[in-house]
Amino acid sequence: MEDNLHNSSELPPFTLTGLPGLETSQHWLFLLLGALYTVSIVGNALILFIIKEQQSLHQPMYYFLSLLSVNDLGVSFSTLPTVLATFCFHLREMSFDSCMAQMFFIHFFSFTESGILLAMSFDRFVAICNPLRYATVLTDAQVLRMGVSVIIRSFCMVFPLPFLLKQLLFCKANVLSHAYCLHPDLIHLPCGDITVNNIFGLFIVISTFGLDSALILFSYVLILHSVLTIASQKEQLKTLITCVSHICAVLVFYVPMVGVSMAARYGMHAPKYVHTLLSLIYLFVPPMLNPVIYSIKTKEIHRRLHKILLGTKF
């Protein structure tokens, strides 16, 4: 650990970490991560291709799904360079500016995914609770406005983070806990007062993840109330099935996030590789599972994908 203070412009390169304590097994982990990357990139690219080519899928629900797939590709490509370098080529050094750029994109896509899931819950709310106005409420222009709003919000939330970090002086060893740069990891390296950084970090988490998850839950309370007014149990089940894919995507995104937060708060004495594995699950599992979920649960996409892969005619 260094005793000298370093301004961010003078800081030596950060050292990335794979799995602390499991260095001898990291090549096996790379094989697993490589498989996750492949499924994520190929799966989301196929979703985009199917929606683009299938005219019947040019609807608000699938426009939001396209945004989700683009975002998941962004998450994968944001972490891929340093994960590949760390686990495959054992290149662990990263400059300050490169680290700030990667941190920006990882958190930007994370906040954007939360906003997209909220927009998708609004789509399900209108489709179930007010189906007669669905076409007038969710027009192409409105979908575009919602998508742009989500992107602008995410950009405004994440943009100050690198600049706030650049104002700090670093006096600790510049070793990161992961194979990529995350703000909760970086904020432990500077010395001195980090109150502003902590307050701003808490603010953006509450105003994005906290607010979005609360609104998603509220939308499903309204959806469930509307569904229960349907007399036929068969119709109730049929209506709820249209929400299964979105509910799975929400759980896949938020459950690992809660796990990471709980481990950071209450698992201080757990081995370091536990925290690393949880962060890997948080960043790698949603982009991999989302295309799988929608390919299985969405009939139109399932049929088209089956036709592409097996040449079956429907």
Side-chain angles (χ1 to χ4, degrees):
M1 185 174 295
E2 297 177 9
D3 295 321
N4 296 327
L5 296 177
H6 296 282
N7 185 276
S8 62
S9 61
E10 305 168 346
L11 195 70
F14 288 110
T15 301
L16 303 171
T17 305
L19 277 178
L22 297 177
E23 286 79 8
T24 57
S25 304
Q26 291 188 162
H27 58 287
W28 294 109
L29 180 63
F30 176 74
L31 292 177
L32 173 61
L33 296 180
L36 294 180
Y37 273 125
T38 301
V39 173
S40 173
I41 294 171
V42 173
N44 284 295
L46 279 173
I47 292 288
L48 290 171
F49 174 77
I50 290 171
I51 294 175
K52 177 180 179 296
E53 295 297 317
Q54 196 76 11
Q55 191 67 31
S56 62
L57 300 182
H58 293 182
Q59 303 174 30
M61 172 183 172
Y62 298 104
Y63 292 149
F64 289 130
L65 179 56
S66 297
L67 283 175
L68 185 64
S69 293
V70 170
N71 191 79
D72 284 341
L73 286 172
V75 173
S76 296
F77 286 123
S78 294
T79 58
L80 179 59
T82 53
V83 169
L84 185 67
T86 301
F87 289 105
C88 190
F89 299 107
H90 305 290
L91 302 174
R92 300 181 182 276
E93 289 194 345
M94 190 178 193
S95 69
F96 183 89
D97 289 335
S98 297
C99 189
M100 291 299 101
Q102 185 181 51
M103 180 199 71
F104 172 86
F105 283 110
I106 289 176
H107 290 296
F108 170 79
F109 288 121
S110 183
F111 291 145
T112 301
E113 181 145 351
S114 179
I116 294 170
L117 291 173
L118 175 60
M120 295 174 83
S121 72
F122 179 71
D123 170 85
R124 292 298 83 208
F125 166 75
V126 177
I128 293 172
C129 299
N130 204 344
L132 297 179
R133 295 192 58 198
Y134 183 81
T136 56
V137 172
L138 283 170
T139 61
D140 290 352
Q142 181 63 22
V143 170
L144 179 61
R145 281 193 290 269
M146 292 172 67
V148 171
S149 298
V150 167
I151 293 171
I152 291 175
R153 184 193 70 164
S154 300
F155 179 84
C156 292
M157 291 295 179
V158 182
F159 185 72
L161 291 179
F163 296 98
L164 288 173
L165 283 170
K166 280 195 172 187
Q167 304 306 312
L168 299 173
L169 295 174
F170 291 75
C171 60
K172 298 182 180 180
N174 55 328
V175 178
L176 301 177
S177 303
H178 310 290
Y180 36 79
C181 297
L182 296 175
H183 184 263
D185 194 17
L186 286 164
I187 199 62
H188 293 301
L189 298 181
C191 56
D193 188 8
I194 57 171
T195 303
V196 174
N197 300 70
N198 284 331
I199 291 175
F200 183 73
L202 181 62
F203 165 74
I204 62 176
V205 167
I206 293 175
S207 58
T208 52
F209 299 139
L211 180 61
D212 291 352
S213 58
L215 291 174
I216 290 171
L217 179 61
F218 180 64
S219 70
Y220 272 102
V221 170
L222 297 177
I223 288 172
L224 187 59
H225 179 268
S226 178
V227 168
L228 292 177
T229 62
I230 301 174
S232 169
Q233 289 188 350
K234 184 178 180 180
E235 288 298 319
Q236 289 179 355
L237 182 61
K238 184 179 179 181
T239 302
L240 287 174
I241 285 176
T242 64
C243 300
V244 169
S245 297
H246 179 254
I247 292 173
C248 290
V250 169
L251 292 176
V252 163
F253 179 72
Y254 281 105
V255 170
M257 181 193 300
V258 172
V260 170
S261 300
M262 295 294 288
R265 182 173 293 273
Y266 301 110
M268 300 301 294
H269 301 294
K272 287 186 177 181
Y273 66 81
V274 172
H275 298 272
T276 305
L277 284 174
L278 286 173
S279 73
L280 288 173
I281 292 171
Y282 168 59
L283 286 175
F284 285 81
V285 171
M288 184 272 294
L289 281 186
N290 283 336
V292 175
I293 291 168
Y294 279 94
S295 297
I296 294 173
K297 293 296 183 180
T298 306
K299 185 183 297 183
E300 293 84 354
I301 292 178
H302 178 75
R303 287 181 174 179
R304 182 67 177 176
L305 184 61
H306 196 276
K307 184 177 180 179
I308 291 173
L309 297 178
L310 301 178
T312 304
K313 295 184 178 180
F314 288 89

